[in-house]
Amino acid sequence: MVGKGRLGMVTADEIEVRYAFSGKVAVVKKKRGDTVKKGEVLAALDTKMLQMELDLQLADYERKRAEFEIFAKRNPNPGDDLTKYAKQIEQAQLNASVKEVEIAKAKMDQATLISPVNGTVVDDGGNRVGLNVSPASNAFKILDLDALRFETELDGFMEPGEVMVKINGKELAGKTGLPRPDGKKLVVDASLDSWEGLMVGMVGEVVIPDEKNNAQEIDG
């Protein structure tokens, strides 16, 4: 393949994972530099108050369910409108109680930070046990290792196509997408047929088709 070589680097998307609400950190499982799998716990907030809220909502649900069942047994076949409306009110209160329990359970689940990707923790947000945090602070940052790409700077436009990347003593086939702006630069990402043995930050050379006929001058 006739072409020219350009230096590039293996990179990946950086994912931020933030707390859903404010609280005090109770558990920290991962720190900067750790490898993490999708679904693994990063950290968790203290859930004592949340558990109390859930217990209260469960107790309220049990009470409303009992009241509804008593009403239903006393009025198995409501005939008049007032009794029908009263049953609808009892049913609505029971349904609302179910939703309150679901919300309380969801808050309990959200107290735990879970990694959404397989990757490496590049910033643990300074999370420490006993630290008060909020959604605006102390985010974990994770490199998504399932979204690796080989990034190369271009002089001009290049049509998507096949390329060869020389890196870590290997020659790997790949394909590029459309170039994209990155600040004042124009870059292109290549997806490779294999990422075995490659890590973020590795530098290599990508051989792309002759750009002579495709290159266009970039304004600015």
Side-chain angles (χ1 to χ4, degrees):
M1 176 173 59
V2 178
K4 59 176 70 175
R6 293 177 179 276
L7 291 180
M9 180 183 294
V10 177
T11 185
D13 293 334
E14 187 175 277
I15 308 297
E16 281 195 354
V17 185
R18 295 183 176 275
Y19 293 101
F21 47 83
S22 300
K24 181 178 290 186
V25 178
V27 176
V28 178
K29 292 285 190 179
K30 297 293 181 179
K31 62 182 184 300
R32 182 178 179 182
D34 286 350
T35 298
V36 63
K37 294 181 180 179
K38 183 177 181 179
E40 276 194 308
V41 174
L42 301 172
L45 299 178
D46 189 324
T47 58
K48 291 186 181 69
M49 294 300 294
L50 294 175
Q51 185 63 57
M52 289 176 61
E53 181 181 348
L54 176 58
D55 291 343
L56 286 172
Q57 294 298 342
L58 285 170
D60 185 62
Y61 162 73
E62 292 295 341
R63 179 177 62 82
K64 285 187 168 62
R65 187 181 68 171
E67 290 174 349
F68 177 81
E69 290 178 353
I70 291 171
F71 182 91
K73 287 183 178 181
R74 288 177 175 174
N75 303 276
N77 298 299
D80 61 281
D81 290 342
L82 287 178
T83 305
K84 290 180 181 179
Y85 292 148
K87 185 176 182 179
Q88 290 176 0
I89 291 173
E90 293 288 340
Q91 182 69 67
Q93 290 177 341
L94 179 60
N95 293 343
S97 181
V98 170
K99 293 298 182 183
E100 291 295 337
V101 170
E102 291 175 351
I103 291 171
K105 286 182 177 179
K107 286 183 178 179
M108 285 284 291
D109 292 339
Q110 291 174 345
T112 302
L113 279 189
I114 302 295
S115 176
V117 296
N118 297 312
T120 300
V121 178
V122 293
D123 188 348
D124 59 20
N127 278 269
R128 300 293 182 270
V129 173
L131 183 69
N132 289 313
V133 296
S134 73
S137 66
N138 306 93
F140 275 82
K141 295 180 181 179
I142 303 171
L143 279 180
D144 182 1
L145 298 184
D146 289 334
L148 292 175
R149 60 182 183 272
F150 191 85
E151 184 179 287
T152 306
E153 185 176 348
L154 298 174
D155 293 330
F157 181 79
M158 185 186 79
E159 294 287 349
E162 296 181 354
V163 295
M164 181 69 70
V165 173
K166 299 178 181 179
I167 186 171
N168 199 30
K170 302 176 182 178
E171 291 189 355
L172 302 172
K175 293 182 179 180
T176 62
L178 287 169
R180 58 181 175 81
D182 184 5
K184 294 184 178 180
K185 301 181 297 182
L186 187 65
V187 300
V188 67
D189 298 326
S191 59
L192 304 183
D193 291 347
S194 173
W195 294 99
E196 185 177 355
L198 302 185
M199 296 183 295
V200 171
M202 281 186 170
V203 176
E205 181 184 23
V206 59
V207 180
I208 59 180
D210 192 346
E211 300 170 1
K212 186 177 297 183
N213 296 326
N214 293 331
Q216 298 178 0
E217 186 176 348
I218 304 174
D219 294 335

